[in-house]
Amino acid sequence: MQDEMPIRKIIHVDMDAFYASVEQLDNPELRGKAIAVGGSSARGVVSAASYEARKFGVRSAMSGAVARKLCPQLIFVKTNFDRYKEVSKQIRTIFFEYTDLVEPLSLDEAYLDVTENKKGNPSATMIATEIRKKIKEKTGLNASAGISMNKFVAKIASDINKPNGQKTIGPEDVVPFLETLDVKKFYGVGKVTKEKMYRLGIFTGMDLKGKSIEFLEENFGKSGGFYYNVVRGIHNSKVKPSRTQKSLAAEHTFSENISSEIFMLERLEEIAAEVEKRLHKSKLAGKTVTLKIKYRDFTLQTRSKTLPLFIASKELILDVVKELLFQEKMKESVRLLGISISNLNNETPKKKQVPKESIDVQLKLEF
Ligand SMILES: [Mg+2]
């Protein structure tokens, strides 16, 4: 069946140090300097680090305190999601000049299927070069790209010549490339899985290929089948346009029902930290905070508040959650608490209900 799949041309575009580069673009005094976006508050986390800061080991998702220790001259800059979103939109407009099959992964990353493209250009490599050039012209920012026959390999490839570079891995090169690749570079293999693979003697794609599907499923569950296939160049996941996440949440079920708000607050702090972590991972922020309360009798209550700006930090989320928590007395003891963030910064503003064409028609009829 595999042979019947037409070979696809997939580009993964990834902006270089996106938030930090936008800040350096907008504030010339920050250029060439070690900067961190976010992380300035007492327990804040770095959202992005400039390449100058990365030389000191500063990374995103690192606590601001640790980052400051690694790089004392580090300049902390506040996040400005509205601005990042604006740039992200400019970039997507460029993508749509080539194809409608665009799947954003975050504000600064997307997969494009250019197998059939609007320019009729048979070379995905040339398209990637053009797109990166246009992004630079339009936004002043650098992007990197990976080009291959599936999303999995394209994603890995975009990292190879980063920053400001691209890498094509053609159909014949996919399997040899994966065979020599360290499994830690496989997309989807996190720290824990990497360690487990190493323990099992799986260090490279070649080692992975030597294992049976039964062995891999036994050790890695459902992902085992995924690893078995991708290392053979098989990854049929389509580029899914308009995959927009609507909300992001975390919750905690108590082993015993609780009724003390102070105790709830402690748990909510942990849940908010988890939400912050997930927002970071998806590079998202949101305007609406919802507190979910499930009581002992299983009735569910939600309380929410919408803010005028996007937030992503644990502290700000918790501020709103506290307000919602003390807004009214609990009905009875609580068995589950959850926090969700919606109105995310990945949503394009809602279009008016009536499409432009029909407005034109209406006007014509009326006049
Ligand atoms: Mg990026």
Side-chain angles (χ1 to χ4, degrees), residues 169-186:
I169 299 172
E172 289 89 53
D173 303 327
V174 164
V175 170
F177 166 74
L178 292 172
E179 280 175 351
T180 53
L181 197 68
D182 190 320
V183 286
K184 74 176 182 201
K185 295 269 173 84
F186 275 52

Side-chain angles (χ1 to χ4, degrees), residues 81-130:
F81 286 111
D82 285 309
R83 172 72 179 128
Y84 310 146
K85 203 178 152 187
E86 180 189 316
V87 180
S88 180
K89 246 196 236 164
Q90 293 179 323
I91 297 163
R92 277 180 208 170
T93 310
I94 297 170
F95 296 159
F96 287 124
E97 287 176 29
Y98 293 83
T99 176
D100 289 331
L101 294 177
V102 176
E103 178 181 341
L105 291 171
S106 61
L107 285 180
D108 76 317
E109 261 181 79
Y111 293 115
L112 283 69
D113 186 330
V114 296
T115 315
E116 315 236 342
N117 59 78
K118 296 179 187 175
K119 308 272 182 185
N121 187 342
S123 167
T125 303
M126 274 171 60
I127 293 176
T129 309
E130 260 182 52

Side-chain angles (χ1 to χ4, degrees), residues 77-359:
V77 185
K78 260 202 189 147
T79 46
N80 182 356
F81 286 111
D82 285 309
R83 172 72 179 128
Y84 310 146
K85 203 178 152 187
E86 180 189 316
V87 180
S88 180
K89 246 196 236 164
Q90 293 179 323
I91 297 163
R92 277 180 208 170
T93 310
I94 297 170
F95 296 159
F96 287 124
E97 287 176 29
Y98 293 83
T99 176
D100 289 331
L101 294 177
V102 176
E103 178 181 341
L105 291 171
S106 61
L107 285 180
D108 76 317
E109 261 181 79
Y111 293 115
L112 283 69
D113 186 330
V114 296
T115 315
E116 315 236 342
N117 59 78
K118 296 179 187 175
K119 308 272 182 185
N121 187 342
S123 167
T125 303
M126 274 171 60
I127 293 176
T129 309
E130 260 182 52
I131 287 177
R132 291 178 41 241
K133 194 166 156 252
K134 281 191 187 174
I135 290 176
K136 181 75 179 184
E137 282 165 8
K138 206 160 176 186
T139 69
L141 298 166
N142 289 329
S144 295
I147 304 102
S148 195
M149 62 180 203
N150 64 40
K151 282 157 67 173
F152 176 77
V153 182
K155 168 95 181 163
I156 299 172
S158 67
D159 238 14
I160 296 177
N161 290 322
K162 216 174 204 336
N164 199 20
Q166 66 181 60
K167 173 77 181 171
T168 301
I169 299 172
E172 289 89 53
D173 303 327
V174 164
V175 170
F177 166 74
L178 292 172
E179 280 175 351
T180 53
L181 197 68
D182 190 320
V183 286
K184 74 176 182 201
K185 295 269 173 84
F186 275 52
Y187 183 48
V189 174
K191 216 176 150 191
V192 176
T193 308
K194 179 202 90 175
E195 269 152 27
K196 186 161 183 192
M197 285 194 175
Y198 281 13
R199 271 204 309 277
L200 293 167
I202 304 169
F203 299 96
T204 64
M206 188 65 113
D207 299 331
L208 188 61
K209 223 174 168 180
K211 303 293 179 195
S212 69
I213 187 156
E214 291 77 19
F215 176 88
L216 292 174
E217 278 176 348
E218 192 181 305
N219 284 285
F220 303 102
K222 255 182 153 179
S223 308
F226 169 79
Y227 301 137
Y228 184 86
N229 283 319
V230 290
V231 74
R232 289 168 171 78
I234 301 164
H235 184 235
N236 295 332
S237 165
K238 290 207 174 76
V239 170
K240 302 170 200 83
S242 76
R243 188 192 71 168
T244 343
Q245 195 170 0
K246 293 280 178 232
S247 69
L248 197 148
E251 55 185 41
H252 183 91
T253 307
F254 301 101
S255 45
E256 278 169 58
N257 299 321
I258 54 165
S259 51
S260 145
E261 266 98 350
I262 298 304
F263 185 67
M264 287 181 208
L265 212 49
E266 277 174 32
R267 286 292 98 76
L268 285 167
E269 209 176 318
E270 292 164 19
I271 301 169
E274 181 59 33
V275 170
E276 179 190 64
K277 211 170 101 191
R278 292 183 190 176
L279 286 168
H280 262 282
K281 213 174 158 201
S282 335
K283 296 185 192 136
L284 289 170
K287 285 183 179 173
T288 304
V289 178
T290 302
L291 172 65
K292 175 175 157 186
I293 306 158
K294 200 186 256 177
Y295 292 101
R296 191 180 53 179
D297 63 1
F298 284 87
T299 53
L300 186 71
Q301 193 182 41
T302 56
R303 304 173 180 177
S304 39
K305 184 180 177 177
T306 298
L307 303 163
L309 41 85
F310 292 109
I311 60 167
S313 82
K314 188 184 106 178
E315 285 83 6
L316 294 175
I317 294 169
L318 207 56
D319 280 349
V320 181
V321 167
K322 270 184 208 162
E323 204 182 303
L324 295 170
L325 180 69
F326 295 110
Q327 174 178 295
E328 62 178 287
K329 197 100 191 74
M330 296 292 168
K331 289 198 297 184
E332 58 168 317
S333 57
V334 169
R335 68 181 310 270
L336 177 146
L337 286 172
I339 300 172
S340 81
I341 306 291
S342 52
N343 242 318
L344 301 173
N345 60 350
N346 58 357
E347 289 169 32
T348 38
K350 297 214 170 40
K351 290 257 159 45
K352 289 184 193 82
Q353 286 301 320
V354 190
K356 194 173 170 290
E357 270 171 16
S358 57
I359 297 175

